[in-house]
Amino acid sequence: VIFGTGGGSTAMAMECQYRMFRLGIRVSSFSDNVLMRMASASLGKNDVLICLSLTGCNPELQKAIEIAKDYGVTVVTIAPSDSSITEVADYILPIQLNESDYIYKPSASRYVMMANIDVLSTEVAIKNKRKSREKLRRIKKHLDEYRQSSQMLPIGD
């Protein structure tokens, strides 16, 4: 299960979901605070919760993590390493905020978060090579057929 609230973190949670399902992982992402609590309460010791936060200071997200931890869930955070949500995480993929006060520029931190999602999904794919290879091969085959292209196109978009 993947949690991310706010503009950037919600979009990245969905991206993480899309990356994981292609590897054969049954996954859902949530951005609503009530649904995050409900999902946390439904998880167990064999589940993994990935929490994304550009700031790491979301009290509703932290409460959802605490609920999941009460049920033995393994928690991975992609957030600033000195944030409140990383204090309760089992694994931290840290991001560093390097934002400027120029409000017209998109947040640079989302690129760092996306890079961490890439690293995480690549590691999951490598750890599950046999399962993920076949899933990716089938997806690629049907996308290429759909696109009717002989070019090397991405698996996603």
Side-chain angles (χ1 to χ4, degrees), residues 51-59 61-62 65-66 76-89 91-97 113:
C51 296
L52 310 175
S53 178
L54 290 174
T55 64
C57 60
N58 180 326
L61 180 57
Q62 184 167 348
I65 293 169
E66 291 168 0
V76 177
T77 59
I78 300 178
S81 58
D82 61 349
S83 64
S84 60
I85 69 164
T86 58
E87 293 175 9
V88 292
Y91 301 97
I92 303 165
L93 296 173
I95 61 173
Q96 184 174 354
L97 300 178
M113 184 175 279

PDB file of all heavy atoms in Angstrom, residues 51-59 61-62 65-66 76-89 91-97 113:
ATOM      1  N   CYS A  51       5.281   5.251   2.305  1.00  0.00           N
ATOM      2  CA  CYS A  51       4.723   6.582   2.565  1.00  0.00           C
ATOM      3  C   CYS A  51       5.603   7.638   1.927  1.00  0.00           C
ATOM      4  O   CYS A  51       6.811   7.674   2.162  1.00  0.00           O
ATOM      5  CB  CYS A  51       4.618   6.829   4.061  1.00  0.00           C
ATOM      6  SG  CYS A  51       3.470   5.717   4.855  1.00  0.00           S
ATOM      7  N   LEU A  52       4.972   8.487   1.134  1.00  0.00           N
ATOM      8  CA  LEU A  52       5.680   9.536   0.420  1.00  0.00           C
ATOM      9  C   LEU A  52       5.271  10.894   0.975  1.00  0.00           C
ATOM     10  O   LEU A  52       4.084  11.179   1.112  1.00  0.00           O
ATOM     11  CB  LEU A  52       5.338   9.485  -1.067  1.00  0.00           C
ATOM     12  CG  LEU A  52       5.461   8.126  -1.752  1.00  0.00           C
ATOM     13  CD1 LEU A  52       4.973   8.217  -3.178  1.00  0.00           C
ATOM     14  CD2 LEU A  52       6.873   7.622  -1.706  1.00  0.00           C
ATOM     15  N   SER A  53       6.260  11.720   1.270  1.00  0.00           N
ATOM     16  CA  SER A  53       5.966  13.063   1.743  1.00  0.00           C
ATOM     17  C   SER A  53       7.137  13.976   1.424  1.00  0.00           C
ATOM     18  O   SER A  53       8.270  13.709   1.836  1.00  0.00           O
ATOM     19  CB  SER A  53       5.701  13.066   3.245  1.00  0.00           C
ATOM     20  OG  SER A  53       5.452  14.379   3.698  1.00  0.00           O
ATOM     21  N   LEU A  54       6.851  15.038   0.692  1.00  0.00           N
ATOM     22  CA  LEU A  54       7.916  15.992   0.368  1.00  0.00           C
ATOM     23  C   LEU A  54       8.384  16.762   1.600  1.00  0.00           C
ATOM     24  O   LEU A  54       9.527  17.179   1.672  1.00  0.00           O
ATOM     25  CB  LEU A  54       7.445  16.964  -0.713  1.00  0.00           C
ATOM     26  CG  LEU A  54       7.276  16.355  -2.102  1.00  0.00           C
ATOM     27  CD1 LEU A  54       6.661  17.367  -3.068  1.00  0.00           C
ATOM     28  CD2 LEU A  54       8.601  15.846  -2.649  1.00  0.00           C
ATOM     29  N   THR A  55       7.497  16.917   2.587  1.00  0.00           N
ATOM     30  CA  THR A  55       7.878  17.656   3.802  1.00  0.00           C
ATOM     31  C   THR A  55       8.102  16.745   4.993  1.00  0.00           C
ATOM     32  O   THR A  55       8.905  17.057   5.868  1.00  0.00           O
ATOM     33  CB  THR A  55       6.794  18.682   4.185  1.00  0.00           C
ATOM     34  OG1 THR A  55       5.590  17.987   4.520  1.00  0.00           O
ATOM     35  CG2 THR A  55       6.551  19.663   3.056  1.00  0.00           C
ATOM     36  N   GLY A  56       7.357  15.642   5.056  1.00  0.00           N
ATOM     37  CA  GLY A  56       7.475  14.734   6.188  1.00  0.00           C
ATOM     38  C   GLY A  56       6.760  15.205   7.436  1.00  0.00           C
ATOM     39  O   GLY A  56       6.895  14.603   8.497  1.00  0.00           O
ATOM     40  N   CYS A  57       6.012  16.278   7.328  1.00  0.00           N
ATOM     41  CA  CYS A  57       5.353  16.833   8.525  1.00  0.00           C
ATOM     42  C   CYS A  57       3.843  16.852   8.370  1.00  0.00           C
ATOM     43  O   CYS A  57       3.191  17.869   8.561  1.00  0.00           O
ATOM     44  CB  CYS A  57       5.900  18.217   8.839  1.00  0.00           C
ATOM     45  SG  CYS A  57       5.670  19.437   7.535  1.00  0.00           S
ATOM     46  N   ASN A  58       3.277  15.711   8.054  1.00  0.00           N
ATOM     47  CA  ASN A  58       1.841  15.568   7.888  1.00  0.00           C
ATOM     48  C   ASN A  58       1.303  14.725   9.046  1.00  0.00           C
ATOM     49  O   ASN A  58       1.519  13.513   9.085  1.00  0.00           O
ATOM     50  CB  ASN A  58       1.550  14.900   6.542  1.00  0.00           C
ATOM     51  CG  ASN A  58       0.083  14.701   6.281  1.00  0.00           C
ATOM     52  OD1 ASN A  58      -0.694  14.461   7.187  1.00  0.00           O
ATOM     53  ND2 ASN A  58      -0.283  14.763   5.020  1.00  0.00           N
ATOM     54  N   PRO A  59       0.606  15.332  10.008  1.00  0.00           N
ATOM     55  CA  PRO A  59       0.131  14.574  11.176  1.00  0.00           C
ATOM     56  C   PRO A  59      -0.844  13.451  10.826  1.00  0.00           C
ATOM     57  O   PRO A  59      -0.848  12.405  11.482  1.00  0.00           O
ATOM     58  CB  PRO A  59      -0.530  15.619  12.068  1.00  0.00           C
ATOM     59  CG  PRO A  59      -0.594  16.876  11.289  1.00  0.00           C
ATOM     60  CD  PRO A  59       0.269  16.742  10.083  1.00  0.00           C
ATOM     61  N   LEU A  61      -0.817  11.628   8.048  1.00  0.00           N
ATOM     62  CA  LEU A  61       0.008  10.553   7.504  1.00  0.00           C
ATOM     63  C   LEU A  61       0.738   9.837   8.630  1.00  0.00           C
ATOM     64  O   LEU A  61       0.808   8.605   8.659  1.00  0.00           O
ATOM     65  CB  LEU A  61       0.995  11.109   6.479  1.00  0.00           C
ATOM     66  CG  LEU A  61       1.942  10.124   5.810  1.00  0.00           C
ATOM     67  CD1 LEU A  61       1.179   9.012   5.098  1.00  0.00           C
ATOM     68  CD2 LEU A  61       2.859  10.865   4.845  1.00  0.00           C
ATOM     69  N   GLN A  62       1.264  10.596   9.576  1.00  0.00           N
ATOM     70  CA  GLN A  62       1.961   9.978  10.703  1.00  0.00           C
ATOM     71  C   GLN A  62       1.020   9.075  11.503  1.00  0.00           C
ATOM     72  O   GLN A  62       1.397   7.977  11.896  1.00  0.00           O
ATOM     73  CB  GLN A  62       2.575  11.032  11.612  1.00  0.00           C
ATOM     74  CG  GLN A  62       3.379  10.415  12.737  1.00  0.00           C
ATOM     75  CD  GLN A  62       4.248  11.389  13.471  1.00  0.00           C
ATOM     76  OE1 GLN A  62       4.445  12.518  13.040  1.00  0.00           O
ATOM     77  NE2 GLN A  62       4.793  10.953  14.585  1.00  0.00           N
ATOM     78  N   ILE A  65       0.516   5.855   9.695  1.00  0.00           N
ATOM     79  CA  ILE A  65       1.706   5.007   9.850  1.00  0.00           C
ATOM     80  C   ILE A  65       1.680   4.319  11.211  1.00  0.00           C
ATOM     81  O   ILE A  65       1.950   3.120  11.322  1.00  0.00           O
ATOM     82  CB  ILE A  65       2.999   5.834   9.683  1.00  0.00           C
ATOM     83  CG1 ILE A  65       3.138   6.323   8.245  1.00  0.00           C
ATOM     84  CG2 ILE A  65       4.221   5.016  10.091  1.00  0.00           C
ATOM     85  CD1 ILE A  65       4.241   7.352   8.036  1.00  0.00           C
ATOM     86  N   GLU A  66       1.358   5.063  12.249  1.00  0.00           N
ATOM     87  CA  GLU A  66       1.315   4.495  13.593  1.00  0.00           C
ATOM     88  C   GLU A  66       0.278   3.378  13.694  1.00  0.00           C
ATOM     89  O   GLU A  66       0.526   2.351  14.335  1.00  0.00           O
ATOM     90  CB  GLU A  66       1.039   5.598  14.619  1.00  0.00           C
ATOM     91  CG  GLU A  66       2.208   6.558  14.774  1.00  0.00           C
ATOM     92  CD  GLU A  66       1.864   7.822  15.555  1.00  0.00           C
ATOM     93  OE1 GLU A  66       0.702   7.970  16.000  1.00  0.00           O
ATOM     94  OE2 GLU A  66       2.764   8.661  15.714  1.00  0.00           O
ATOM     95  N   VAL A  76       8.100   1.838   4.844  1.00  0.00           N
ATOM     96  CA  VAL A  76       9.167   2.495   4.088  1.00  0.00           C
ATOM     97  C   VAL A  76       8.721   3.930   3.858  1.00  0.00           C
ATOM     98  O   VAL A  76       7.587   4.161   3.433  1.00  0.00           O
ATOM     99  CB  VAL A  76       9.386   1.808   2.722  1.00  0.00           C
ATOM    100  CG1 VAL A  76      10.446   2.545   1.899  1.00  0.00           C
ATOM    101  CG2 VAL A  76       9.738   0.344   2.895  1.00  0.00           C
ATOM    102  N   THR A  77       9.586   4.887   4.148  1.00  0.00           N
ATOM    103  CA  THR A  77       9.242   6.283   3.866  1.00  0.00           C
ATOM    104  C   THR A  77      10.201   6.861   2.835  1.00  0.00           C
ATOM    105  O   THR A  77      11.390   6.539   2.821  1.00  0.00           O
ATOM    106  CB  THR A  77       9.285   7.176   5.126  1.00  0.00           C
ATOM    107  OG1 THR A  77      10.590   7.142   5.687  1.00  0.00           O
ATOM    108  CG2 THR A  77       8.267   6.730   6.151  1.00  0.00           C
ATOM    109  N   ILE A  78       9.650   7.673   1.979  1.00  0.00           N
ATOM    110  CA  ILE A  78      10.433   8.516   1.083  1.00  0.00           C
ATOM    111  C   ILE A  78      10.072   9.935   1.496  1.00  0.00           C
ATOM    112  O   ILE A  78       8.988  10.431   1.179  1.00  0.00           O
ATOM    113  CB  ILE A  78      10.116   8.247  -0.396  1.00  0.00           C
ATOM    114  CG1 ILE A  78      10.425   6.789  -0.748  1.00  0.00           C
ATOM    115  CG2 ILE A  78      10.905   9.206  -1.290  1.00  0.00           C
ATOM    116  CD1 ILE A  78      10.092   6.406  -2.189  1.00  0.00           C
ATOM    117  N   ALA A  79      10.968  10.524   2.285  1.00  0.00           N
ATOM    118  CA  ALA A  79      10.704  11.815   2.922  1.00  0.00           C
ATOM    119  C   ALA A  79      12.021  12.376   3.441  1.00  0.00           C
ATOM    120  O   ALA A  79      13.031  11.664   3.485  1.00  0.00           O
ATOM    121  CB  ALA A  79       9.721  11.628   4.083  1.00  0.00           C
ATOM    122  N   PRO A  80      12.026  13.645   3.860  1.00  0.00           N
ATOM    123  CA  PRO A  80      13.240  14.183   4.484  1.00  0.00           C
ATOM    124  C   PRO A  80      13.619  13.342   5.716  1.00  0.00           C
ATOM    125  O   PRO A  80      12.749  12.975   6.518  1.00  0.00           O
ATOM    126  CB  PRO A  80      12.834  15.601   4.888  1.00  0.00           C
ATOM    127  CG  PRO A  80      11.740  15.965   3.936  1.00  0.00           C
ATOM    128  CD  PRO A  80      10.994  14.678   3.711  1.00  0.00           C
ATOM    129  N   SER A  81      14.891  13.020   5.853  1.00  0.00           N
ATOM    130  CA  SER A  81      15.329  12.099   6.906  1.00  0.00           C
ATOM    131  C   SER A  81      15.128  12.648   8.315  1.00  0.00           C
ATOM    132  O   SER A  81      15.063  11.878   9.264  1.00  0.00           O
ATOM    133  CB  SER A  81      16.795  11.712   6.697  1.00  0.00           C
ATOM    134  OG  SER A  81      17.600  12.866   6.696  1.00  0.00           O
ATOM    135  N   ASP A  82      15.003  13.937   8.459  1.00  0.00           N
ATOM    136  CA  ASP A  82      14.819  14.518   9.792  1.00  0.00           C
ATOM    137  C   ASP A  82      13.360  14.825  10.097  1.00  0.00           C
ATOM    138  O   ASP A  82      13.049  15.583  10.998  1.00  0.00           O
ATOM    139  CB  ASP A  82      15.661  15.778   9.936  1.00  0.00           C
ATOM    140  CG  ASP A  82      15.289  16.866   8.926  1.00  0.00           C
ATOM    141  OD1 ASP A  82      14.527  16.574   7.978  1.00  0.00           O
ATOM    142  OD2 ASP A  82      15.763  17.999   9.083  1.00  0.00           O
ATOM    143  N   SER A  83      12.441  14.206   9.382  1.00  0.00           N
ATOM    144  CA  SER A  83      11.018  14.503   9.553  1.00  0.00           C
ATOM    145  C   SER A  83      10.370  13.551  10.555  1.00  0.00           C
ATOM    146  O   SER A  83      10.903  12.494  10.869  1.00  0.00           O
ATOM    147  CB  SER A  83      10.298  14.432   8.207  1.00  0.00           C
ATOM    148  OG  SER A  83      10.352  13.128   7.685  1.00  0.00           O
ATOM    149  N   SER A  84       9.194  13.926  11.011  1.00  0.00           N
ATOM    150  CA  SER A  84       8.500  13.136  12.025  1.00  0.00           C
ATOM    151  C   SER A  84       8.076  11.762  11.512  1.00  0.00           C
ATOM    152  O   SER A  84       8.073  10.794  12.273  1.00  0.00           O
ATOM    153  CB  SER A  84       7.291  13.902  12.560  1.00  0.00           C
ATOM    154  OG  SER A  84       6.382  14.189  11.525  1.00  0.00           O
ATOM    155  N   ILE A  85       7.732  11.638  10.241  1.00  0.00           N
ATOM    156  CA  ILE A  85       7.271  10.324   9.756  1.00  0.00           C
ATOM    157  C   ILE A  85       8.416   9.329   9.612  1.00  0.00           C
ATOM    158  O   ILE A  85       8.193   8.122   9.669  1.00  0.00           O
ATOM    159  CB  ILE A  85       6.458  10.412   8.445  1.00  0.00           C
ATOM    160  CG1 ILE A  85       7.319  10.808   7.266  1.00  0.00           C
ATOM    161  CG2 ILE A  85       5.257  11.304   8.600  1.00  0.00           C
ATOM    162  CD1 ILE A  85       6.663  10.531   5.929  1.00  0.00           C
ATOM    163  N   THR A  86       9.634   9.810   9.449  1.00  0.00           N
ATOM    164  CA  THR A  86      10.757   8.871   9.322  1.00  0.00           C
ATOM    165  C   THR A  86      11.146   8.277  10.670  1.00  0.00           C
ATOM    166  O   THR A  86      11.785   7.229  10.710  1.00  0.00           O
ATOM    167  CB  THR A  86      11.981   9.539   8.669  1.00  0.00           C
ATOM    168  OG1 THR A  86      12.374  10.660   9.448  1.00  0.00           O
ATOM    169  CG2 THR A  86      11.668   9.974   7.257  1.00  0.00           C
ATOM    170  N   GLU A  87      10.742   8.917  11.755  1.00  0.00           N
ATOM    171  CA  GLU A  87      11.074   8.405  13.090  1.00  0.00           C
ATOM    172  C   GLU A  87      10.439   7.045  13.363  1.00  0.00           C
ATOM    173  O   GLU A  87      10.965   6.268  14.149  1.00  0.00           O
ATOM    174  CB  GLU A  87      10.646   9.409  14.160  1.00  0.00           C
ATOM    175  CG  GLU A  87      11.441  10.693  14.137  1.00  0.00           C
ATOM    176  CD  GLU A  87      10.921  11.734  15.116  1.00  0.00           C
ATOM    177  OE1 GLU A  87      10.037  11.405  15.936  1.00  0.00           O
ATOM    178  OE2 GLU A  87      11.407  12.871  15.063  1.00  0.00           O
ATOM    179  N   VAL A  88       9.306   6.758  12.734  1.00  0.00           N
ATOM    180  CA  VAL A  88       8.610   5.493  12.974  1.00  0.00           C
ATOM    181  C   VAL A  88       8.789   4.498  11.824  1.00  0.00           C
ATOM    182  O   VAL A  88       8.240   3.400  11.863  1.00  0.00           O
ATOM    183  CB  VAL A  88       7.102   5.733  13.244  1.00  0.00           C
ATOM    184  CG1 VAL A  88       6.906   6.441  14.562  1.00  0.00           C
ATOM    185  CG2 VAL A  88       6.452   6.492  12.111  1.00  0.00           C
ATOM    186  N   ALA A  89       9.560   4.866  10.818  1.00  0.00           N
ATOM    187  CA  ALA A  89       9.739   4.003   9.647  1.00  0.00           C
ATOM    188  C   ALA A  89      10.764   2.908   9.905  1.00  0.00           C
ATOM    189  O   ALA A  89      11.694   3.073  10.703  1.00  0.00           O
ATOM    190  CB  ALA A  89      10.187   4.843   8.452  1.00  0.00           C
ATOM    191  N   TYR A  91      12.364   1.580   7.138  1.00  0.00           N
ATOM    192  CA  TYR A  91      13.344   1.914   6.109  1.00  0.00           C
ATOM    193  C   TYR A  91      13.071   3.327   5.614  1.00  0.00           C
ATOM    194  O   TYR A  91      11.918   3.699   5.414  1.00  0.00           O
ATOM    195  CB  TYR A  91      13.268   0.929   4.931  1.00  0.00           C
ATOM    196  CG  TYR A  91      13.517  -0.492   5.348  1.00  0.00           C
ATOM    197  CD1 TYR A  91      12.443  -1.354   5.602  1.00  0.00           C
ATOM    198  CD2 TYR A  91      14.808  -0.973   5.503  1.00  0.00           C
ATOM    199  CE1 TYR A  91      12.655  -2.668   5.999  1.00  0.00           C
ATOM    200  CE2 TYR A  91      15.026  -2.289   5.907  1.00  0.00           C
ATOM    201  CZ  TYR A  91      13.955  -3.120   6.151  1.00  0.00           C
ATOM    202  OH  TYR A  91      14.174  -4.414   6.548  1.00  0.00           O
ATOM    203  N   ILE A  92      14.140   4.069   5.413  1.00  0.00           N
ATOM    204  CA  ILE A  92      14.020   5.461   4.963  1.00  0.00           C
ATOM    205  C   ILE A  92      14.792   5.630   3.664  1.00  0.00           C
ATOM    206  O   ILE A  92      15.980   5.278   3.589  1.00  0.00           O
ATOM    207  CB  ILE A  92      14.581   6.441   6.008  1.00  0.00           C
ATOM    208  CG1 ILE A  92      13.875   6.259   7.349  1.00  0.00           C
ATOM    209  CG2 ILE A  92      14.467   7.878   5.524  1.00  0.00           C
ATOM    210  CD1 ILE A  92      14.612   6.913   8.508  1.00  0.00           C
ATOM    211  N   LEU A  93      14.112   6.133   2.640  1.00  0.00           N
ATOM    212  CA  LEU A  93      14.782   6.581   1.423  1.00  0.00           C
ATOM    213  C   LEU A  93      14.711   8.112   1.500  1.00  0.00           C
ATOM    214  O   LEU A  93      13.678   8.702   1.190  1.00  0.00           O
ATOM    215  CB  LEU A  93      14.083   6.041   0.177  1.00  0.00           C
ATOM    216  CG  LEU A  93      14.111   4.519   0.034  1.00  0.00           C
ATOM    217  CD1 LEU A  93      13.248   4.082  -1.134  1.00  0.00           C
ATOM    218  CD2 LEU A  93      15.519   4.022  -0.130  1.00  0.00           C
ATOM    219  N   PRO A  94      15.782   8.729   1.952  1.00  0.00           N
ATOM    220  CA  PRO A  94      15.711  10.159   2.274  1.00  0.00           C
ATOM    221  C   PRO A  94      15.713  11.063   1.045  1.00  0.00           C
ATOM    222  O   PRO A  94      16.294  10.733   0.017  1.00  0.00           O
ATOM    223  CB  PRO A  94      16.969  10.392   3.109  1.00  0.00           C
ATOM    224  CG  PRO A  94      17.938   9.373   2.608  1.00  0.00           C
ATOM    225  CD  PRO A  94      17.094   8.167   2.227  1.00  0.00           C
ATOM    226  N   ILE A  95      15.025  12.166   1.212  1.00  0.00           N
ATOM    227  CA  ILE A  95      15.107  13.237   0.222  1.00  0.00           C
ATOM    228  C   ILE A  95      15.560  14.487   0.969  1.00  0.00           C
ATOM    229  O   ILE A  95      15.358  14.619   2.178  1.00  0.00           O
ATOM    230  CB  ILE A  95      13.771  13.496  -0.507  1.00  0.00           C
ATOM    231  CG1 ILE A  95      12.668  13.921   0.459  1.00  0.00           C
ATOM    232  CG2 ILE A  95      13.345  12.277  -1.299  1.00  0.00           C
ATOM    233  CD1 ILE A  95      11.379  14.348  -0.222  1.00  0.00           C
ATOM    234  N   GLN A  96      16.190  15.365   0.243  1.00  0.00           N
ATOM    235  CA  GLN A  96      16.632  16.632   0.823  1.00  0.00           C
ATOM    236  C   GLN A  96      15.928  17.764   0.092  1.00  0.00           C
ATOM    237  O   GLN A  96      15.909  17.788  -1.140  1.00  0.00           O
ATOM    238  CB  GLN A  96      18.147  16.789   0.689  1.00  0.00           C
ATOM    239  CG  GLN A  96      18.669  18.030   1.355  1.00  0.00           C
ATOM    240  CD  GLN A  96      20.189  18.075   1.335  1.00  0.00           C
ATOM    241  OE1 GLN A  96      20.848  17.131   0.923  1.00  0.00           O
ATOM    242  NE2 GLN A  96      20.743  19.179   1.777  1.00  0.00           N
ATOM    243  N   LEU A  97      15.351  18.652   0.862  1.00  0.00           N
ATOM    244  CA  LEU A  97      14.647  19.781   0.268  1.00  0.00           C
ATOM    245  C   LEU A  97      15.648  20.864  -0.105  1.00  0.00           C
ATOM    246  O   LEU A  97      16.430  21.306   0.737  1.00  0.00           O
ATOM    247  CB  LEU A  97      13.613  20.345   1.252  1.00  0.00           C
ATOM    248  CG  LEU A  97      12.528  19.379   1.701  1.00  0.00           C
ATOM    249  CD1 LEU A  97      11.613  20.055   2.709  1.00  0.00           C
ATOM    250  CD2 LEU A  97      11.734  18.874   0.526  1.00  0.00           C
ATOM    251  N   MET A 113      12.204  12.596  -5.229  1.00  0.00           N
ATOM    252  CA  MET A 113      11.265  11.558  -4.824  1.00  0.00           C
ATOM    253  C   MET A 113      11.089  10.542  -5.954  1.00  0.00           C
ATOM    254  O   MET A 113      11.088   9.335  -5.717  1.00  0.00           O
ATOM    255  CB  MET A 113       9.924  12.166  -4.438  1.00  0.00           C
ATOM    256  CG  MET A 113       8.935  11.147  -3.906  1.00  0.00           C
ATOM    257  SD  MET A 113       7.405  11.897  -3.324  1.00  0.00           S
ATOM    258  CE  MET A 113       7.916  12.441  -1.698  1.00  0.00           C
TER     259      MET A 113
END
